[in-house]
Short mmCIF file of all heavy atoms in Angstrom, two decimals:
data_model
loop_
_atom_site.label_atom_id
_atom_site.label_comp_id
_atom_site.label_asym_id
_atom_site.label_seq_id
_atom_site.Cartn_x
_atom_site.Cartn_y
_atom_site.Cartn_z
N MET K 1078 2.71 -1.28 -16.31
CA MET K 1078 1.87 -1.65 -15.17
C MET K 1078 2.56 -1.19 -13.88
O MET K 1078 3.76 -1.32 -13.74
CB MET K 1078 1.68 -3.18 -15.15
CG MET K 1078 0.60 -3.64 -14.19
SD MET K 1078 -1.06 -3.14 -14.66
CE MET K 1078 -1.41 -4.31 -15.96
N SER K 1079 1.76 -0.68 -12.96
CA SER K 1079 2.31 -0.23 -11.68
C SER K 1079 1.88 -1.20 -10.58
O SER K 1079 0.85 -1.85 -10.67
CB SER K 1079 1.80 1.16 -11.35
OG SER K 1079 2.16 2.08 -12.35
N THR K 1080 2.71 -1.23 -9.55
CA THR K 1080 2.48 -2.16 -8.44
C THR K 1080 2.71 -1.44 -7.13
O THR K 1080 3.68 -0.69 -7.00
CB THR K 1080 3.46 -3.34 -8.54
OG1 THR K 1080 3.40 -3.89 -9.85
CG2 THR K 1080 3.11 -4.42 -7.53
N ILE K 1081 1.84 -1.66 -6.14
CA ILE K 1081 2.07 -1.08 -4.82
C ILE K 1081 2.88 -2.07 -3.99
O ILE K 1081 2.66 -3.29 -4.04
CB ILE K 1081 0.75 -0.71 -4.12
CG1 ILE K 1081 1.02 0.07 -2.83
CG2 ILE K 1081 -0.14 -1.93 -3.89
CD1 ILE K 1081 -0.21 0.73 -2.23
N ARG K 1082 3.86 -1.52 -3.27
CA ARG K 1082 4.74 -2.34 -2.44
C ARG K 1082 4.79 -1.76 -1.02
O ARG K 1082 4.60 -0.57 -0.83
CB ARG K 1082 6.17 -2.33 -3.00
CG ARG K 1082 6.31 -2.84 -4.41
CD ARG K 1082 6.18 -4.33 -4.47
NE ARG K 1082 6.47 -4.83 -5.80
CZ ARG K 1082 5.95 -5.95 -6.29
NH1 ARG K 1082 5.14 -6.68 -5.56
NH2 ARG K 1082 6.25 -6.36 -7.50
N VAL K 1083 5.07 -2.64 -0.06
CA VAL K 1083 5.28 -2.19 1.31
C VAL K 1083 6.69 -2.54 1.74
O VAL K 1083 7.19 -3.63 1.43
CB VAL K 1083 4.24 -2.80 2.28
CG1 VAL K 1083 4.28 -4.32 2.31
CG2 VAL K 1083 4.43 -2.24 3.69
N ASP K 1084 7.34 -1.60 2.42
CA ASP K 1084 8.65 -1.83 3.00
C ASP K 1084 8.40 -2.27 4.45
O ASP K 1084 8.11 -1.44 5.32
CB ASP K 1084 9.48 -0.54 2.93
CG ASP K 1084 10.88 -0.74 3.49
OD1 ASP K 1084 11.10 -1.74 4.22
OD2 ASP K 1084 11.75 0.10 3.19
N SER K 1085 8.52 -3.55 4.69
CA SER K 1085 8.19 -4.09 6.01
C SER K 1085 9.11 -3.56 7.10
O SER K 1085 8.74 -3.54 8.28
CB SER K 1085 8.25 -5.62 5.98
OG SER K 1085 7.32 -6.12 5.05
N ASP K 1086 10.31 -3.14 6.73
CA ASP K 1086 11.22 -2.59 7.73
C ASP K 1086 10.75 -1.23 8.24
O ASP K 1086 11.08 -0.82 9.35
CB ASP K 1086 12.63 -2.44 7.15
CG ASP K 1086 13.28 -3.80 6.89
OD1 ASP K 1086 12.87 -4.78 7.54
OD2 ASP K 1086 14.15 -3.87 6.02
N ARG K 1087 9.99 -0.53 7.39
CA ARG K 1087 9.50 0.80 7.78
C ARG K 1087 8.14 0.75 8.46
O ARG K 1087 7.82 1.59 9.30
CB ARG K 1087 9.39 1.70 6.54
CG ARG K 1087 10.71 2.22 6.03
CD ARG K 1087 10.48 3.13 4.83
NE ARG K 1087 11.68 3.78 4.38
CZ ARG K 1087 12.04 5.01 4.74
NH1 ARG K 1087 11.28 5.70 5.54
NH2 ARG K 1087 13.16 5.53 4.29
N CYS K 1088 7.30 -0.18 8.06
CA CYS K 1088 5.92 -0.23 8.56
C CYS K 1088 5.91 -0.37 10.08
O CYS K 1088 6.56 -1.25 10.63
CB CYS K 1088 5.16 -1.38 7.92
SG CYS K 1088 3.48 -1.55 8.57
N GLN K 1089 5.13 0.52 10.73
CA GLN K 1089 4.99 0.48 12.19
C GLN K 1089 3.56 0.13 12.60
O GLN K 1089 3.20 0.24 13.78
CB GLN K 1089 5.39 1.83 12.79
CG GLN K 1089 6.84 2.20 12.54
CD GLN K 1089 7.80 1.26 13.26
OE1 GLN K 1089 7.56 0.88 14.41
NE2 GLN K 1089 8.87 0.86 12.58
N GLY K 1090 2.74 -0.23 11.64
CA GLY K 1090 1.39 -0.70 11.95
C GLY K 1090 0.37 0.40 12.20
O GLY K 1090 -0.60 0.18 12.92
N HIS K 1091 0.56 1.57 11.61
CA HIS K 1091 -0.40 2.66 11.83
C HIS K 1091 -1.76 2.37 11.19
O HIS K 1091 -2.77 2.92 11.62
CB HIS K 1091 0.16 3.97 11.28
CG HIS K 1091 1.39 4.43 12.01
ND1 HIS K 1091 1.38 4.80 13.33
CD2 HIS K 1091 2.67 4.56 11.59
CE1 HIS K 1091 2.60 5.16 13.70
NE2 HIS K 1091 3.40 5.01 12.66
N ALA K 1092 -1.76 1.60 10.12
CA ALA K 1092 -2.98 1.07 9.50
C ALA K 1092 -3.86 2.09 8.80
O ALA K 1092 -4.97 1.75 8.39
CB ALA K 1092 -3.81 0.28 10.51
N MET K 1093 -3.41 3.34 8.68
CA MET K 1093 -4.21 4.28 7.89
C MET K 1093 -4.31 3.83 6.44
O MET K 1093 -5.30 4.10 5.76
CB MET K 1093 -3.61 5.69 7.93
CG MET K 1093 -3.85 6.40 9.23
SD MET K 1093 -2.43 6.24 10.31
CE MET K 1093 -1.52 7.71 9.84
N CYS K 1094 -3.28 3.15 5.98
CA CYS K 1094 -3.27 2.70 4.59
C CYS K 1094 -4.44 1.78 4.27
O CYS K 1094 -4.96 1.80 3.16
CB CYS K 1094 -1.96 1.99 4.29
SG CYS K 1094 -1.63 0.60 5.40
N VAL K 1095 -4.86 1.01 5.25
CA VAL K 1095 -5.95 0.05 5.01
C VAL K 1095 -7.27 0.80 4.78
O VAL K 1095 -8.08 0.39 3.94
CB VAL K 1095 -6.08 -0.92 6.20
CG1 VAL K 1095 -7.21 -1.90 5.97
CG2 VAL K 1095 -4.77 -1.67 6.40
N THR K 1096 -7.46 1.89 5.50
CA THR K 1096 -8.70 2.64 5.29
C THR K 1096 -8.66 3.38 3.97
O THR K 1096 -9.69 3.61 3.35
CB THR K 1096 -8.94 3.64 6.44
OG1 THR K 1096 -7.87 4.58 6.50
CG2 THR K 1096 -9.04 2.92 7.76
N GLN K 1097 -7.46 3.76 3.50
CA GLN K 1097 -7.33 4.50 2.24
C GLN K 1097 -7.32 3.57 1.03
O GLN K 1097 -7.69 4.00 -0.07
CB GLN K 1097 -6.05 5.34 2.25
CG GLN K 1097 -6.03 6.42 3.31
CD GLN K 1097 -7.15 7.42 3.13
OE1 GLN K 1097 -7.49 7.81 2.03
NE2 GLN K 1097 -7.74 7.84 4.24
N ALA K 1098 -6.88 2.34 1.21
CA ALA K 1098 -6.75 1.43 0.08
C ALA K 1098 -7.19 0.01 0.47
O ALA K 1098 -6.40 -0.93 0.44
CB ALA K 1098 -5.30 1.41 -0.42
N PRO K 1099 -8.47 -0.13 0.80
CA PRO K 1099 -8.93 -1.44 1.28
C PRO K 1099 -8.89 -2.54 0.23
O PRO K 1099 -8.91 -3.72 0.57
CB PRO K 1099 -10.38 -1.16 1.72
CG PRO K 1099 -10.78 0.06 0.97
CD PRO K 1099 -9.54 0.87 0.81
N SER K 1100 -8.81 -2.16 -1.04
CA SER K 1100 -8.71 -3.18 -2.09
C SER K 1100 -7.27 -3.66 -2.28
O SER K 1100 -7.04 -4.68 -2.94
CB SER K 1100 -9.20 -2.63 -3.42
OG SER K 1100 -10.52 -2.20 -3.34
N LEU K 1101 -6.33 -2.91 -1.72
CA LEU K 1101 -4.91 -3.18 -2.02
C LEU K 1101 -4.09 -3.60 -0.81
O LEU K 1101 -3.10 -4.31 -0.96
CB LEU K 1101 -4.27 -1.91 -2.60
CG LEU K 1101 -4.89 -1.34 -3.86
CD1 LEU K 1101 -4.29 0.01 -4.18
CD2 LEU K 1101 -4.72 -2.31 -5.01
N VAL K 1102 -4.48 -3.14 0.38
CA VAL K 1102 -3.65 -3.36 1.56
C VAL K 1102 -4.50 -3.93 2.69
O VAL K 1102 -5.64 -3.51 2.90
CB VAL K 1102 -2.99 -2.05 2.05
CG1 VAL K 1102 -1.96 -2.34 3.13
CG2 VAL K 1102 -2.35 -1.28 0.91
N ASP K 1103 -3.94 -4.88 3.38
CA ASP K 1103 -4.56 -5.45 4.58
C ASP K 1103 -3.49 -5.44 5.67
O ASP K 1103 -2.36 -5.05 5.42
CB ASP K 1103 -5.04 -6.87 4.28
CG ASP K 1103 -6.11 -7.34 5.24
OD1 ASP K 1103 -6.42 -6.61 6.21
OD2 ASP K 1103 -6.66 -8.44 5.03
N VAL K 1104 -3.88 -5.84 6.87
CA VAL K 1104 -2.87 -5.98 7.93
C VAL K 1104 -2.81 -7.44 8.35
O VAL K 1104 -3.81 -8.16 8.33
CB VAL K 1104 -3.17 -5.08 9.15
CG1 VAL K 1104 -2.93 -3.63 8.80
CG2 VAL K 1104 -4.57 -5.29 9.69
N ASP K 1105 -1.62 -7.86 8.77
CA ASP K 1105 -1.46 -9.24 9.22
C ASP K 1105 -1.86 -9.34 10.69
O ASP K 1105 -2.35 -8.38 11.29
CB ASP K 1105 -0.03 -9.72 8.95
CG ASP K 1105 1.02 -8.97 9.76
OD1 ASP K 1105 0.66 -8.24 10.72
OD2 ASP K 1105 2.21 -9.08 9.42
N ASP K 1106 -1.65 -10.51 11.28
CA ASP K 1106 -2.08 -10.75 12.66
C ASP K 1106 -1.39 -9.83 13.66
O ASP K 1106 -1.91 -9.61 14.76
CB ASP K 1106 -1.79 -12.21 13.04
CG ASP K 1106 -2.67 -13.18 12.27
OD1 ASP K 1106 -3.69 -12.73 11.70
OD2 ASP K 1106 -2.35 -14.38 12.23
N LEU K 1107 -0.24 -9.31 13.28
CA LEU K 1107 0.50 -8.42 14.17
C LEU K 1107 0.19 -6.95 13.89
O LEU K 1107 0.71 -6.05 14.56
CB LEU K 1107 2.00 -8.66 14.03
CG LEU K 1107 2.47 -10.07 14.44
CD1 LEU K 1107 3.95 -10.24 14.16
CD2 LEU K 1107 2.17 -10.33 15.92
N GLY K 1108 -0.64 -6.68 12.87
CA GLY K 1108 -1.04 -5.32 12.57
C GLY K 1108 -0.18 -4.61 11.54
O GLY K 1108 -0.32 -3.40 11.35
N PHE K 1109 0.70 -5.35 10.89
CA PHE K 1109 1.56 -4.73 9.88
C PHE K 1109 0.96 -4.90 8.49
O PHE K 1109 0.27 -5.88 8.21
CB PHE K 1109 2.97 -5.33 9.94
CG PHE K 1109 3.69 -5.06 11.23
CD1 PHE K 1109 3.89 -6.06 12.16
CD2 PHE K 1109 4.13 -3.78 11.53
CE1 PHE K 1109 4.53 -5.80 13.37
CE2 PHE K 1109 4.77 -3.50 12.73
CZ PHE K 1109 4.97 -4.51 13.65
N ALA K 1110 1.26 -3.96 7.63
CA ALA K 1110 0.65 -3.94 6.30
C ALA K 1110 1.14 -5.10 5.43
O ALA K 1110 2.33 -5.42 5.43
CB ALA K 1110 0.97 -2.61 5.61
N VAL K 1111 0.20 -5.70 4.73
CA VAL K 1111 0.52 -6.69 3.70
C VAL K 1111 -0.27 -6.31 2.45
O VAL K 1111 -1.41 -5.84 2.52
CB VAL K 1111 0.17 -8.12 4.13
CG1 VAL K 1111 1.11 -8.61 5.21
CG2 VAL K 1111 -1.28 -8.23 4.59
N ILE K 1112 0.37 -6.49 1.32
CA ILE K 1112 -0.27 -6.19 0.05
C ILE K 1112 -1.20 -7.35 -0.33
O ILE K 1112 -0.82 -8.52 -0.21
CB ILE K 1112 0.78 -5.97 -1.05
CG1 ILE K 1112 1.73 -4.83 -0.67
CG2 ILE K 1112 0.11 -5.70 -2.39
CD1 ILE K 1112 1.05 -3.49 -0.42
N ILE K 1113 -2.39 -7.01 -0.77
CA ILE K 1113 -3.35 -8.03 -1.19
C ILE K 1113 -2.97 -8.49 -2.60
O ILE K 1113 -2.80 -7.68 -3.51
CB ILE K 1113 -4.78 -7.45 -1.18
CG1 ILE K 1113 -5.17 -7.05 0.26
CG2 ILE K 1113 -5.77 -8.45 -1.76
CD1 ILE K 1113 -6.47 -6.27 0.36
N GLY K 1114 -2.85 -9.79 -2.77
CA GLY K 1114 -2.49 -10.34 -4.08
C GLY K 1114 -1.10 -9.89 -4.49
O GLY K 1114 -0.19 -9.81 -3.66
N ASP K 1115 -0.93 -9.56 -5.77
CA ASP K 1115 0.39 -9.15 -6.24
C ASP K 1115 0.57 -7.63 -6.27
O ASP K 1115 1.60 -7.14 -6.70
CB ASP K 1115 0.70 -9.76 -7.61
CG ASP K 1115 -0.25 -9.29 -8.70
OD1 ASP K 1115 -1.09 -8.40 -8.42
OD2 ASP K 1115 -0.15 -9.80 -9.82
N GLY K 1116 -0.45 -6.90 -5.82
CA GLY K 1116 -0.32 -5.46 -5.72
C GLY K 1116 -0.45 -4.70 -7.03
O GLY K 1116 -0.23 -3.49 -7.07
N THR K 1117 -0.80 -5.40 -8.09
CA THR K 1117 -0.92 -4.75 -9.39
C THR K 1117 -2.07 -3.74 -9.37
O THR K 1117 -3.17 -4.04 -8.89
CB THR K 1117 -1.19 -5.79 -10.49
OG1 THR K 1117 -0.08 -6.68 -10.53
CG2 THR K 1117 -1.35 -5.12 -11.85
N LEU K 1118 -1.79 -2.53 -9.89
CA LEU K 1118 -2.82 -1.49 -9.97
C LEU K 1118 -3.46 -1.58 -11.35
O LEU K 1118 -2.95 -1.04 -12.32
CB LEU K 1118 -2.18 -0.12 -9.74
CG LEU K 1118 -1.34 0.01 -8.46
CD1 LEU K 1118 -0.78 1.42 -8.35
CD2 LEU K 1118 -2.14 -0.38 -7.23
N SER K 1119 -4.58 -2.27 -11.42
CA SER K 1119 -5.17 -2.59 -12.72
C SER K 1119 -6.38 -1.74 -13.07
O SER K 1119 -6.92 -1.86 -14.17
CB SER K 1119 -5.53 -4.08 -12.77
OG SER K 1119 -6.34 -4.43 -11.66
N THR K 1120 -6.80 -0.87 -12.16
CA THR K 1120 -7.96 -0.02 -12.44
C THR K 1120 -7.65 1.41 -11.97
O THR K 1120 -6.78 1.62 -11.13
CB THR K 1120 -9.21 -0.51 -11.69
OG1 THR K 1120 -9.00 -0.32 -10.28
CG2 THR K 1120 -9.50 -1.98 -11.97
N PRO K 1121 -8.38 2.39 -12.49
CA PRO K 1121 -8.21 3.77 -12.00
C PRO K 1121 -8.46 3.86 -10.49
O PRO K 1121 -7.77 4.62 -9.80
CB PRO K 1121 -9.25 4.56 -12.79
CG PRO K 1121 -9.43 3.78 -14.05
CD PRO K 1121 -9.29 2.33 -13.65
N GLU K 1122 -9.42 3.10 -10.00
CA GLU K 1122 -9.69 3.10 -8.55
C GLU K 1122 -8.47 2.60 -7.77
O GLU K 1122 -8.13 3.14 -6.71
CB GLU K 1122 -10.91 2.24 -8.25
CG GLU K 1122 -11.22 2.07 -6.76
CD GLU K 1122 -11.63 3.37 -6.07
OE1 GLU K 1122 -11.97 4.35 -6.76
OE2 GLU K 1122 -11.60 3.41 -4.82
N HIS K 1123 -7.81 1.58 -8.29
CA HIS K 1123 -6.58 1.09 -7.64
C HIS K 1123 -5.53 2.19 -7.58
O HIS K 1123 -4.87 2.36 -6.56
CB HIS K 1123 -6.02 -0.11 -8.41
CG HIS K 1123 -6.72 -1.41 -8.12
ND1 HIS K 1123 -6.41 -2.57 -8.76
CD2 HIS K 1123 -7.71 -1.70 -7.24
CE1 HIS K 1123 -7.18 -3.55 -8.29
NE2 HIS K 1123 -7.99 -3.05 -7.38
N HIS K 1124 -5.37 2.92 -8.67
CA HIS K 1124 -4.37 3.99 -8.69
C HIS K 1124 -4.71 5.07 -7.67
O HIS K 1124 -3.84 5.58 -6.96
CB HIS K 1124 -4.26 4.58 -10.09
CG HIS K 1124 -3.47 3.72 -11.04
ND1 HIS K 1124 -2.11 3.83 -11.19
CD2 HIS K 1124 -3.86 2.72 -11.86
CE1 HIS K 1124 -1.68 2.94 -12.07
NE2 HIS K 1124 -2.73 2.25 -12.50
N GLU K 1125 -5.99 5.40 -7.59
CA GLU K 1125 -6.42 6.43 -6.62
C GLU K 1125 -6.18 5.95 -5.19
O GLU K 1125 -5.70 6.70 -4.34
CB GLU K 1125 -7.90 6.76 -6.83
CG GLU K 1125 -8.16 7.55 -8.09
CD GLU K 1125 -9.64 7.66 -8.42
OE1 GLU K 1125 -10.47 7.42 -7.52
OE2 GLU K 1125 -9.97 7.97 -9.58
N GLN K 1126 -6.54 4.69 -4.94
CA GLN K 1126 -6.33 4.15 -3.59
C GLN K 1126 -4.84 4.12 -3.26
O GLN K 1126 -4.44 4.45 -2.13
CB GLN K 1126 -6.92 2.74 -3.49
CG GLN K 1126 -8.43 2.70 -3.43
CD GLN K 1126 -8.96 1.33 -3.00
OE1 GLN K 1126 -8.25 0.52 -2.44
NE2 GLN K 1126 -10.24 1.10 -3.27
N ALA K 1127 -4.02 3.70 -4.21
CA ALA K 1127 -2.59 3.60 -3.97
C ALA K 1127 -2.00 4.97 -3.66
O ALA K 1127 -1.18 5.11 -2.74
CB ALA K 1127 -1.90 2.98 -5.17
N GLU K 1128 -2.41 5.99 -4.41
CA GLU K 1128 -1.91 7.34 -4.15
C GLU K 1128 -2.27 7.80 -2.75
O GLU K 1128 -1.44 8.37 -2.03
CB GLU K 1128 -2.51 8.33 -5.17
CG GLU K 1128 -1.73 8.44 -6.44
CD GLU K 1128 -2.31 9.51 -7.36
OE1 GLU K 1128 -2.85 10.53 -6.85
OE2 GLU K 1128 -2.25 9.32 -8.58
N ARG K 1129 -3.51 7.54 -2.36
CA ARG K 1129 -3.95 7.94 -1.02
C ARG K 1129 -3.18 7.17 0.05
O ARG K 1129 -2.79 7.75 1.08
CB ARG K 1129 -5.46 7.72 -0.86
CG ARG K 1129 -6.31 8.67 -1.68
CD ARG K 1129 -7.73 8.76 -1.14
NE ARG K 1129 -8.42 7.49 -1.16
CZ ARG K 1129 -9.19 7.08 -2.16
NH1 ARG K 1129 -9.36 7.84 -3.21
NH2 ARG K 1129 -9.80 5.91 -2.10
N ALA K 1130 -2.98 5.90 -0.15
CA ALA K 1130 -2.28 5.08 0.85
C ALA K 1130 -0.84 5.53 1.00
O ALA K 1130 -0.34 5.67 2.12
CB ALA K 1130 -2.34 3.61 0.45
N VAL K 1131 -0.16 5.76 -0.12
CA VAL K 1131 1.23 6.21 -0.07
C VAL K 1131 1.31 7.54 0.68
O VAL K 1131 2.18 7.75 1.53
CB VAL K 1131 1.81 6.34 -1.49
CG1 VAL K 1131 3.15 7.07 -1.47
CG2 VAL K 1131 1.96 4.96 -2.13
N ALA K 1132 0.38 8.44 0.38
CA ALA K 1132 0.41 9.78 0.98
C ALA K 1132 0.11 9.75 2.47
O ALA K 1132 0.62 10.60 3.22
CB ALA K 1132 -0.58 10.69 0.25
N CYS K 1133 -0.70 8.81 2.92
CA CYS K 1133 -1.15 8.84 4.32
C CYS K 1133 -0.17 8.19 5.28
O CYS K 1133 -0.24 8.43 6.48
CB CYS K 1133 -2.52 8.20 4.46
SG CYS K 1133 -2.50 6.40 4.58
N CYS K 1134 0.72 7.35 4.79
CA CYS K 1134 1.58 6.59 5.71
C CYS K 1134 2.64 7.49 6.32
O CYS K 1134 3.50 8.02 5.60
CB CYS K 1134 2.24 5.42 5.01
SG CYS K 1134 3.35 4.51 6.13
N PRO K 1135 2.65 7.66 7.64
CA PRO K 1135 3.64 8.54 8.28
C PRO K 1135 5.05 7.97 8.28
O PRO K 1135 6.00 8.68 8.60
CB PRO K 1135 3.09 8.68 9.71
CG PRO K 1135 2.26 7.47 9.93
CD PRO K 1135 1.69 7.09 8.61
N GLU K 1136 5.19 6.72 7.95
CA GLU K 1136 6.52 6.08 7.93
C GLU K 1136 7.10 5.98 6.52
O GLU K 1136 8.18 5.41 6.33
CB GLU K 1136 6.43 4.67 8.54
CG GLU K 1136 5.78 4.60 9.89
CD GLU K 1136 6.55 5.34 10.98
OE1 GLU K 1136 7.77 5.55 10.81
OE2 GLU K 1136 5.93 5.72 11.99
N GLN K 1137 6.36 6.47 5.53
CA GLN K 1137 6.76 6.30 4.12
C GLN K 1137 7.07 4.84 3.80
O GLN K 1137 8.06 4.52 3.14
CB GLN K 1137 7.97 7.18 3.76
CG GLN K 1137 7.65 8.66 3.67
CD GLN K 1137 7.79 9.36 5.00
OE1 GLN K 1137 8.78 9.18 5.70
NE2 GLN K 1137 6.79 10.16 5.37
N ALA K 1138 6.21 3.96 4.30
CA ALA K 1138 6.45 2.52 4.12
C ALA K 1138 5.87 1.98 2.82
O ALA K 1138 6.18 0.85 2.45
CB ALA K 1138 5.85 1.75 5.30
N LEU K 1139 5.04 2.77 2.16
CA LEU K 1139 4.41 2.30 0.92
C LEU K 1139 4.94 3.09 -0.26
O LEU K 1139 5.22 4.28 -0.16
CB LEU K 1139 2.88 2.49 1.00
CG LEU K 1139 2.16 1.66 2.06
CD1 LEU K 1139 0.76 2.18 2.25
CD2 LEU K 1139 2.15 0.19 1.68
N HIS K 1140 5.08 2.41 -1.38
CA HIS K 1140 5.45 3.11 -2.61
C HIS K 1140 4.87 2.37 -3.81
O HIS K 1140 4.48 1.21 -3.71
CB HIS K 1140 6.97 3.23 -2.73
CG HIS K 1140 7.69 1.92 -2.84
ND1 HIS K 1140 8.00 1.14 -1.76
CD2 HIS K 1140 8.13 1.25 -3.92
CE1 HIS K 1140 8.62 0.05 -2.17
NE2 HIS K 1140 8.71 0.09 -3.48
N VAL K 1141 4.83 3.09 -4.91
CA VAL K 1141 4.35 2.50 -6.16
C VAL K 1141 5.53 2.34 -7.09
O VAL K 1141 6.30 3.27 -7.31
CB VAL K 1141 3.27 3.39 -6.80
CG1 VAL K 1141 2.92 2.88 -8.21
CG2 VAL K 1141 2.02 3.41 -5.93
N GLU K 1142 5.67 1.13 -7.61
CA GLU K 1142 6.70 0.84 -8.60
C GLU K 1142 6.09 0.87 -9.99
O GLU K 1142 5.03 0.26 -10.21
CB GLU K 1142 7.30 -0.57 -8.36
CG GLU K 1142 8.24 -0.64 -7.20
CD GLU K 1142 8.80 -2.05 -7.01
OE1 GLU K 1142 8.49 -2.93 -7.84
OE2 GLU K 1142 9.50 -2.25 -6.02
N ASP K 1143 6.72 1.58 -10.88
CA ASP K 1143 6.27 1.62 -12.27
C ASP K 1143 7.11 0.68 -13.10
O ASP K 1143 8.33 0.79 -13.14
CB ASP K 1143 6.37 3.04 -12.82
CG ASP K 1143 5.38 3.96 -12.16
OD1 ASP K 1143 4.21 3.57 -12.03
OD2 ASP K 1143 5.78 5.06 -11.74
N GLU K 1144 6.44 -0.27 -13.72
CA GLU K 1144 7.14 -1.23 -14.57
C GLU K 1144 6.59 -1.09 -15.98
O GLU K 1144 5.40 -0.93 -16.17
CB GLU K 1144 6.90 -2.66 -14.07
CG GLU K 1144 7.44 -2.89 -12.66
CD GLU K 1144 6.77 -4.08 -11.97
OE1 GLU K 1144 6.10 -4.86 -12.67
OE2 GLU K 1144 6.94 -4.20 -10.76
N SER K 1145 7.45 -1.17 -16.94
CA SER K 1145 6.97 -1.04 -18.32
C SER K 1145 6.69 -2.43 -18.89
O SER K 1145 7.03 -3.43 -18.30
CB SER K 1145 7.99 -0.32 -19.17
OG SER K 1145 9.24 -0.95 -19.05
FE1 F3S P 2630 2.27 0.43 7.97
FE2 F3S P 2630 2.07 2.87 7.09
FE3 F3S P 2630 0.12 1.25 6.76
S1 F3S P 2630 3.03 2.25 8.98
S2 F3S P 2630 0.19 -0.22 8.43
S3 F3S P 2630 2.11 1.04 5.86
S4 F3S P 2630 -0.06 3.41 7.33
#
């Protein structure tokens, strides 16, 4: 199972990730990315959204962890 994670130290609040992965990422009151739920990528759509979100972030604040 794979999981999307955010590195809060890197996130600068650009918010492109939210438009690319609205099922997986939201922003908090200050505009920084937060993962919705536990971030588990349980559908092909989740994987597609996660790939797009990771690719779009100019701060490289998002990544996908692969767990067996
Ligand atoms: Fe933060 Fe990158 Fe999204 S800077 S709000 S994780 S596009």
